[in-house]
Structure formats: structure tokens, C-alpha cells
Amino acid sequence: MAAYSTDAFSATVGADAVVDVKASKFDAAVAANVAIAPVTVDAYYATKASTANKLFAPKSNAAAENLLSVKVAADLSSFEVPVKVSAYAKDIVNAQVLGVSASASVDALEVGASFDYGIKEKAYLLGATVSYKFDAFTVAAGINYNSTEQLYANASVETASIIPGATLKLAYSPV
């Protein structure tokens, strides 16, 4: 891993490799992060990786070769606008999922929205979230709507006040 930073700029690059001499195989992964306030760019490449970049089966981890993902994010709070925006491309070589997201926070309330489009799947996923932080706990809820006209809801409540050093969370989301 290598890193460099100044007041206005930072960059980090990390890599790892696996060499199997008997099978004559080589696998590697590289992650990079570059930040020039207020913009951050994250990139990841792996010759083989486990990925969940499918819109309709997000929990199905499939093996992907040549996984390449990139995200560009901006935090506009330095301009006194409490908004974060991002654009991303997940698994550009294989699943080809493009997306945008935005979130805004005012005091203890945070709202967010996202849109993902799977080029190979020819499918989309719209999402919205809202959360509120009380003194001792945080409540959150969200909905997702996809191109198969299915609407999913989720909700959670969490706290770090009951057991010191631990966060307890009760959540509901569809399978």
C-alpha cells in the first residue's frame, strides 16, 4: 500500500497478488482512492472476484473475472450545501451496472435517492431512503422499485447506547 496526502489532495493505492506456481495461475487486485476536495474518485480492479452487482439478485455472489468498478463522489458541504452526490459504474466488464445517487442531511434527518441501470440485464432499480437520529437511537426506512414492477420496503432501528462499544440493530428487509 502507498499513500500521499496534503491539505487539499490525497491518494492511496493498495494491491495484492496471489501466485499459484503449481497451477501457473496469477490473480491480483488493485484499489485506488484519489481525493481533491470536494471530489473523491475510487477505482477497483481484480482479475477474479466475488461480486453482487446484479440488480435483481444482489445477494447472489457470483465469480467475476476482470472486475472493474469506478465511483466519483462529491460532498458539497464545503459550499454550505448539505448534499452528497455520486456516479458509479459497477463491474464495467461483466454486469455493466451504471448508477447515480444523492443524499441530503439537515440536522438529524437524512434523505437519499438512487438510480441504477443494468446494461446487460436491461433493468433498472430506483431507491429512496430516510433516516432520523434521536439521542439514543436511529430509525431508518427505505423503498426500492425495479423494472419488473416490484416494490420492496425496509426499515431499521439501531442504538449504541445500551451496550458500551456495541451497536444493536433490528432490521426488516425482504429476502
Side-chain angles (χ1 to χ4, degrees):
M1 184 167 124
Y4 175 79
S5 69
T6 64
D7 290 340
F9 170 80
S10 69
T12 305
V13 176
D16 63 6
V18 176
V19 179
D20 185 348
V21 178
K22 287 184 180 181
S24 298
K25 290 185 180 181
F26 174 79
D27 290 314
V30 178
N33 172 285
V34 176
I36 303 172
V39 178
T40 302
V41 178
D42 287 300
Y44 179 77
Y45 173 76
T47 56
K48 286 190 178 182
S50 177
T51 180
N53 288 333
K54 297 187 183 301
L55 293 180
F56 295 123
K59 295 190 179 190
S60 65
N61 288 333
E65 292 194 15
N66 297 314
L67 176 76
L68 176 62
S69 296
V70 178
K71 178 180 178 180
V72 178
D75 185 351
L76 305 177
S77 61
S78 61
F79 301 109
E80 297 184 17
V81 178
V83 175
K84 296 177 184 175
V85 294
S86 64
Y88 44 87
K90 298 179 188 175
D91 198 3
I92 297 167
V93 176
N94 303 298
Q96 299 176 345
V97 175
L98 303 176
V100 293
S101 67
S103 65
S105 58
V106 177
D107 296 326
L109 178 68
E110 184 172 329
V111 295
S114 64
F115 176 77
D116 287 10
Y117 181 74
I119 295 171
K120 285 202 174 176
E121 289 182 283
K122 294 185 174 131
Y124 65 84
L125 178 65
L126 290 164
T129 59
V130 62
S131 68
Y132 191 84
K133 292 180 183 178
F134 293 93
D135 289 335
F137 60 94
T138 301
V139 294
I143 58 170
N144 288 316
Y145 181 78
N146 63 35
S147 53
T148 61
E149 299 180 351
Q150 294 175 322
L151 182 67
Y152 297 103
N154 59 67
S156 68
V157 60
E158 71 178 61
T159 182
S161 300
I162 297 174
I163 301 172
T167 300
L168 300 177
K169 183 174 185 177
L170 176 64
Y172 164 80
S173 65
V175 174

